[in-house]
Amino acid sequence: MDGKKLKKIGFELLPYLGIVLVVLLVKHFLFSTILVNGASMEDTLHENDVMILDKISYRFSDIKRFDVIVLESGGTKLIKRVIGLPGEEIEYKDNKLYINGKEIEDSYGNGTTYDFNLEKIPEDYYFVLGDNREDSIDSRIIGVVNKKDILGHARFIIFPFSRFGSVD
């Protein structure tokens, strides 16, 4: 094969290489998919739900109470709900959520959340729980989560199609 043919093939492949590069960059920096593994987020999420993980929005906006996030803990990706924000005191008493001493409605909790008290959450840390409070590895076990360990906002189910839609 001569140099002209190789050059022609190279130019023909260039748009496809550009598409592959853009897809890889989007997947790495902006959005990717995440598979729900386990029952810790039931009844909101179910095992094998496939979600879109928004990796970019928290660079421009704050993490909010009750956001569903994906975090890295001990080499494992976990999907949890943000309950406590930096600087807050969290308490569950008689299955009710109190933040800084004020009762807050927690309509996401499934099952009993046993009593506990957490004094002030440090700056850049978050307290997270699974919605299935009786079957969840969350901040009650792993401790508060550093913002740097939060991979993004899991806000949209794409599969199965019967559950397609936003979780916020």
Side-chain angles (χ1 to χ4, degrees):
M1 203 177 280
D2 65 10
K4 281 186 175 184
K5 283 189 177 186
L6 282 176
K7 197 172 187 180
K8 182 180 179 189
I9 291 171
F11 279 121
E12 289 175 0
L13 289 177
L14 199 57
Y16 298 106
L17 292 174
I19 290 168
V20 169
L21 181 62
V22 168
V23 167
L24 290 174
L25 288 172
V26 166
K27 183 174 175 14
H28 185 74
F29 292 108
L30 303 177
F31 301 98
S32 66
T33 56
I34 185 86
L35 179 67
V36 176
N37 184 11
S40 73
M41 286 298 291
E42 287 182 357
D43 285 336
T44 306
L45 303 174
H46 300 279
E47 181 146 18
N48 295 322
D49 282 354
V50 178
M51 302 185 72
I52 295 292
L53 175 61
D54 171 0
K55 298 178 180 183
I56 191 80
S57 65
Y58 288 147
R59 294 182 190 181
F60 303 105
S61 65
D62 293 332
I63 297 169
K64 296 174 186 66
R65 184 177 340 280
F66 301 126
D67 281 357
V68 176
I69 63 164
V70 176
L71 63 105
E72 180 97 25
S73 177
T76 302
K77 292 178 182 163
L78 303 174
I79 301 175
K80 302 297 170 196
R81 188 173 301 280
V82 175
I83 301 296
L85 305 174
E88 294 181 336
E89 294 180 13
I90 304 295
E91 180 179 14
Y92 268 88
K93 187 173 181 182
D94 299 324
N95 209 35
K96 294 180 182 170
L97 170 62
Y98 296 89
I99 297 177
N100 299 328
K102 180 181 175 191
E103 185 178 346
I104 303 291
E105 184 180 348
D106 176 13
S107 59
Y108 299 102
N110 178 17
T112 301
T113 306
Y114 298 101
D115 293 355
F116 69 88
N117 186 2
L118 176 67
E119 297 198 12
K120 194 172 184 176
I121 299 171
E123 191 66 31
D124 289 330
Y125 283 81
Y126 296 84
F127 184 85
V128 299
L129 293 174
D131 288 356
N132 185 355
R133 302 295 162 77
E134 295 175 5
D135 186 17
S136 178
I137 296 172
D138 49 39
S139 285
R140 297 171 294 178
I141 296 169
I142 64 172
V144 291
V145 176
N146 192 311
K147 184 176 184 175
K148 71 177 177 57
D149 294 325
I150 295 174
L151 304 177
H153 190 171
R155 61 173 84 218
F156 204 83
I157 298 170
I158 59 172
F159 188 81
F161 298 122
S162 62
R163 298 184 30 75
F164 187 86
S166 177
V167 296
D168 288 341

